[in-house]
Amino acid sequence: MFCTKLNVSTSFKCNNNLRYHRFSSLIQRKHPYLTKYRSTNPSKSSISQPSLKDVDNFKDLGIREAICKALQQNFNITKPTPCQQQSIPQILSGNDVLIRDLTGSGKTFGIVLALLSKTRTLPKTLSSRSSVSSMTTSLFVVPSRELAFQIESWIHLLLRDTKLPMKSIIQVAVRTFPEIEAEQLKNIRETPPNILVGTATRLLDLVEAHGLKFRGLNTLALDEADHLIKLPGKHAIMKKIINREIHPKPTELLARHIMSELNDVDSRDIRRPEKVHYKKKPQLIVSSATLNRALRYYFKDNQLAPDPILVDMSKGTYSPPSISHHCLTVTSNNIRNLATSISVVEDERIQEFEDDDDRMVDSIVGAIELEQHTIQTGIIFVNHKINVPKLVNKFREYGVPAKELSSSYIPTNNEQGYSYNSLSTIEADLNDFTAKPTFSPKTTIYVAQEYTSRGIDIPNISHVFILGVPSSSVEYIHMSGRTGRMGRDGKVISFIKDGQKRIMMNYITLLDLKIDNYEHID
């Protein structure tokens, strides 16, 4: 029986055996992918693979000519990446597509190009009685508002020379200031965009609290899908699996709303676990650098992608070879390379202190000063418990030109509606600050929480500094992947406390990473 294979937590107590078996049966019916994943090893042939083609220009991939010109003029891009070569034709053909490739391979940008090049059409059931301009046809769900703003800025730049009304093409739905949220809802209702980009929590709120409809949707894209869905881990205890079943993630609830609406199913019972058979569905586009087998089967078994095309370019590799990885352990009186510190018998007891303790901050500042002549732009990642603005002030006291990443994305108003421009806020934010003269005037060190790393593409990130052990090996991959993009060189330096060595070594082993000794540390 399925439940006998799981490690049941002793802290989880059911009222009786009947209740326990009822939940176990519910999980089997609802998530057969868990059973498959744990009891069998499906061959890769069970998911269709695309044929390889060597296409060296976007026009032959099906991208509109005006966008091809904008790629060259505004982005200096003339050739697609291997990932884009494979994924764009599959998206334009209308197939359900699952995309996995290394960070920085152009997955999200390729999806944007394909969505802009798709013909805006409504489902056949609506085309005879509805106007295509009155409904949103593509929904792009992302994990953070920073990524949503970035996608919007890409599209604005791609279509800048077309003089098209931007509100009819792209709009953003994210949590922000109340007056901006009200403006978002008003714009979406008055001028439904071709592409609506948003976070799952905000989109779900618009559906459940404000009655937003997606009757004309024909494409649903999920970027960083593993973060959006968050399936229980391979060795998850029964309590966690059941809690996940009782409390679905916002992306999952949003998808159920969309499927129910397209199939005229009553959505009032959308949170009930019983599976409903859907005859109609939008095209599904899924991407992530960490798209595992369980997640792929989740989309198949929940009718979102019954027969998807898998574009898998990573081939089991997690980190681009152009990135060098370093890890330093910090104690109360020294700093060592991780490999060295493991082999040394500590004379002192392990002392626990917080990740934003002065000893940790002082260590990372020292590394930044050593790297300052090679840093173009840097980013420091911290866990969600750390107060980022307070930490930014600490770094500035050391003369480091630090700023909060999320503060660079605030809305500004123009004649085409609200947009999100970061350049003016960066200048204003650093105008009253004087960095150490050894730093280049153009150097900026961003500080951000680790989940902000998902999907964002900041130009010229040469260094990533990770303060404290990451929450998981997956998050380490996404944080480190902000550098070394598109084949460029990058450097990742992690700073962990002495008591976190075992966890970090587990991540390194799982990801099969090569950790180099940091040359400035004995």
Side-chain angles (χ1 to χ4, degrees):
M1 184 177 175
F2 171 64
C3 62
T4 62
K5 297 182 181 181
L6 298 175
N7 176 22
V8 182
S9 171
T10 55
S11 63
F12 176 68
K13 298 180 181 180
C14 296
N15 289 338
N16 50 53
N17 289 334
L18 178 62
R19 181 184 174 194
Y20 176 84
H21 289 295
R22 177 168 62 85
F23 272 106
S24 301
S25 301
L26 179 146
I27 293 170
Q28 278 187 301
R29 293 196 308 272
K30 181 64 183 174
H31 292 309
Y33 66 89
L34 281 174
T35 309
K36 290 182 183 179
Y37 183 68
R38 296 180 185 213
S39 62
T40 63
N41 183 21
S43 65
K44 292 184 179 180
S45 60
S46 62
I47 297 180
S48 305
Q49 292 279 359
S51 60
L52 295 176
K53 294 182 180 179
D54 187 15
V55 179
D56 63 355
N57 65 86
F58 287 98
K59 185 177 179 180
D60 288 346
L61 292 178
I63 301 303
R64 297 179 188 272
E65 188 172 351
I67 296 176
C68 292
K69 290 180 179 178
L71 280 169
Q72 185 172 4
Q73 294 174 2
N74 302 334
F75 289 87
N76 195 28
I77 295 175
T78 58
K79 293 184 178 181
T81 66
C83 179
Q84 292 165 354
Q85 290 175 6
Q86 299 302 315
S87 60
I88 289 175
Q90 297 296 339
I91 294 172
L92 293 178
S93 68
N95 293 317
D96 293 328
V97 186
L98 311 182
I99 307 168
R100 181 171 68 175
D101 201 357
L102 300 177
T103 55
S105 58
K107 298 183 295 295
T108 305
F109 196 66
I111 295 173
V112 169
L113 296 176
L115 291 181
L116 288 174
S117 298
K118 288 186 68 174
T119 303
R120 189 177 185 181
T121 59
L122 294 175
K124 295 179 180 179
T125 54
L126 295 176
S127 57
S128 60
R129 50 191 170 90
S130 303
S131 169
V132 69
S133 62
S134 65
M135 296 184 184
T136 293
T137 55
S138 295
L139 183 64
F140 203 159
V141 186
V142 296
S144 68
R145 69 177 191 172
E146 287 80 12
L147 183 52
F149 298 154
Q150 185 167 73
I151 291 171
E152 183 197 40
S153 67
W154 284 344
I155 294 177
H156 276 252
L157 199 54
L158 284 167
L159 301 178
R160 183 178 63 185
D161 300 327
T162 64
K163 308 302 181 183
L164 294 170
M166 286 296 141
K167 280 200 293 187
S168 67
I169 297 172
I170 171 70
Q171 290 184 38
V172 169
V174 296
R175 292 197 184 280
T176 177
F177 306 109
E179 61 272 19
I180 303 302
E181 291 183 3
E183 186 74 13
Q184 289 174 358
L185 179 59
K186 178 184 176 183
N187 287 337
I188 293 170
R189 283 177 168 166
E190 292 181 353
T191 311
N194 178 20
I195 303 171
L196 179 60
V197 184
T199 55
T201 51
R202 175 61 174 153
L203 291 168
L204 186 62
D205 177 63
L206 291 175
V207 169
E208 294 186 337
H210 300 281
L212 187 64
K213 301 293 184 182
F214 291 106
R215 293 184 296 116
L217 197 70
N218 60 29
T219 306
L220 174 62
L222 306 178
D223 200 15
E224 305 297 341
D226 59 318
H227 184 75
L228 294 175
I229 301 296
K230 287 187 178 178
L231 295 178
K234 183 178 179 181
H235 302 291
I237 60 175
M238 178 63 77
K239 179 180 179 180
K240 190 170 184 178
I241 294 175
I242 292 176
N243 284 340
R244 171 65 176 76
E245 188 64 37
I246 295 173
H247 305 287
K249 298 300 177 185
T251 304
E252 190 171 7
L253 293 174
L254 178 65
R256 291 183 195 175
H257 273 289
I258 291 170
M259 296 290 277
S260 298
E261 191 172 337
L262 293 177
N263 289 271
D264 295 324
V265 175
D266 191 346
S267 62
R268 287 178 296 180
D269 298 328
I270 201 71
R271 293 178 182 267
R272 293 195 313 180
E274 289 81 0
K275 181 177 286 188
V276 179
H277 179 68
Y278 300 116
K279 294 182 180 179
K280 307 166 190 172
K281 60 172 290 299
Q283 176 191 16
L284 184 72
I285 306 168
V286 172
S287 72
S288 178
T290 47
L291 188 67
N292 61 27
R293 183 189 306 156
L295 188 59
R296 299 198 297 268
Y297 278 107
Y298 167 87
F299 292 115
K300 292 184 68 174
D301 293 333
N302 283 272
Q303 307 176 67
L304 291 170
D307 187 24
I309 298 292
L310 174 61
V311 177
D312 187 7
M313 310 298 293
S314 61
K315 307 302 180 185
T317 303
Y318 291 102
S319 180
S322 58
I323 298 177
S324 64
H325 299 265
H326 311 269
C327 185
L328 304 177
T329 60
V330 179
T331 66
S332 60
N333 57 11
N334 61 46
I335 304 173
R336 295 195 184 105
N337 282 292
L338 176 62
T340 304
S341 66
I342 290 175
S343 61
V344 173
V345 178
E346 299 290 348
D347 294 329
E348 60 177 348
R349 294 173 56 187
I350 294 176
Q351 298 180 7
E352 283 296 330
F353 43 84
E354 298 300 324
D355 287 346
D356 57 351
D357 182 88
D358 287 343
R359 285 164 282 195
M360 297 289 280
V361 173
D362 185 66
S363 300
I364 201 168
V365 168
I368 291 173
E369 290 178 343
L370 288 169
E371 299 286 334
Q372 60 187 311
H373 297 299
T374 58
I375 292 179
Q376 299 171 25
T377 302
I379 185 166
I380 302 169
F381 284 112
V382 299
N383 68 56
H384 69 281
K385 295 180 181 179
I386 290 180
N387 184 312
V388 172
K390 183 178 178 181
L391 187 60
V392 166
N393 289 332
K394 271 192 176 184
F395 283 119
R396 289 188 174 191
E397 289 174 1
Y398 283 94
V400 175
K403 78 180 301 290
E404 185 179 358
L405 176 63
S406 60
S407 67
S408 66
Y409 295 95
I410 63 173
T412 56
N413 198 6
N414 58 36
E415 68 278 1
Q416 293 179 314
Y418 282 94
S419 63
Y420 302 83
N421 187 346
S422 63
L423 292 179
S424 61
T425 56
I426 290 175
E427 292 168 0
D429 194 33
L430 294 176
N431 268 345
D432 58 349
F433 169 75
T434 302
K436 284 188 175 181
T438 49
F439 284 101
S440 165
K442 296 182 179 179
T443 300
T444 298
I445 307 294
Y446 292 101
V447 183
Q449 293 181 341
E450 67 174 17
Y451 294 135
T452 308
S453 67
R454 290 288 188 146
I456 60 171
D457 184 33
I458 300 174
N460 302 320
I461 292 285
S462 57
H463 289 69
V464 169
F465 304 93
I466 301 176
L467 190 57
V469 71
S471 62
S472 70
S473 59
V474 168
E475 296 308 325
Y476 178 86
I477 285 297
H478 287 279
M479 285 188 285
S480 64
R482 296 317 98 197
T483 187
R485 301 178 74 78
M486 296 295 180
R488 301 184 187 94
D489 291 336
K491 198 169 197 176
V492 180
I493 308 175
S494 300
F495 296 80
I496 64 172
K497 294 174 288 190
D498 197 57
Q500 298 172 327
K501 290 186 293 190
R502 185 182 297 275
I503 299 174
M504 196 66 183
M505 284 302 301
N506 287 340
Y507 292 167
I508 292 168
T509 302
L510 180 64
L511 298 173
D512 194 24
L513 293 177
K514 179 179 180 295
I515 301 295
D516 298 321
N517 278 344
Y518 189 50
E519 61 270 26
H520 300 292
I521 300 294
D522 292 335

